Amino acid sequence: SDCFLVVMDTKIYFSQTIKFLLLETMKKKVPVIGLSSFFTKAGALVSFDCDYKDIGVQAGEISTKILAGEKAGTIKPVRPRKYRYSLNLATADKIGITLLQSVVKDAFETVK
């Protein structure tokens, strides 16, 4: 089964191209995996986000290290620890994908 994975590229993704991409993939019943819940709300089947509350906690942890005397330049960059996903149930229905209830239940956000 095919899908379209959106990657971050501001040179090719802007509002007109995203709208075109979502319309064409819907016609062809190809699921789109987006970059954020904004894509899900626009018609992508699923999108992945980091947990922004936890990003704030991570920033606080780094700030604490700096306040304790650690040089900011010596602190290695960190990746998000927590991720979440959103689902577009209307898109799943339109393209003929049946989602497990456990997958729907665990979604951070669902669009109907």
Side-chain angles (χ1 to χ4, degrees):
S1 170
D2 293 329
C3 71
F4 191 96
L5 175 63
V6 178
V7 295
M8 181 60 76
D9 188 336
T10 56
K11 292 180 182 176
I12 61 171
Y13 291 121
F14 44 91
S15 61
Q16 293 90 349
T17 60
I18 292 169
K19 184 177 178 180
F20 177 79
L21 166 73
L22 291 170
L23 288 172
E24 291 301 309
T25 54
M26 185 72 70
K27 287 178 194 174
K28 293 177 174 40
K29 298 185 183 262
V30 174
V32 174
I33 301 171
L35 295 170
S36 71
S37 62
F38 295 108
F39 279 83
T40 306
K41 291 172 186 166
L45 174 65
V46 63
S47 297
F48 295 93
D49 287 284
C50 53
D51 182 325
Y52 294 105
K53 183 177 178 182
D54 193 58
I55 293 289
V57 171
Q58 285 181 272
E61 292 167 355
I62 293 169
S63 299
T64 300
K65 289 179 183 181
I66 293 168
L67 291 172
E70 195 169 337
K71 299 261 188 225
T74 64
I75 299 172
K76 293 183 180 180
V78 294
R79 294 182 180 187
R81 292 184 289 224
K82 296 181 181 179
Y83 296 92
R84 58 191 188 186
Y85 63 94
S86 56
L87 295 169
N88 189 315
L89 303 179
T91 297
D93 188 48
K94 287 178 186 174
I95 63 176
I97 292 181
T98 303
L99 300 168
L100 295 173
Q101 277 308 116
S102 60
V103 172
V104 174
K105 183 180 144 262
D106 289 343
F108 170 74
E109 181 177 21
T110 56
V111 178
K112 296 183 180 182

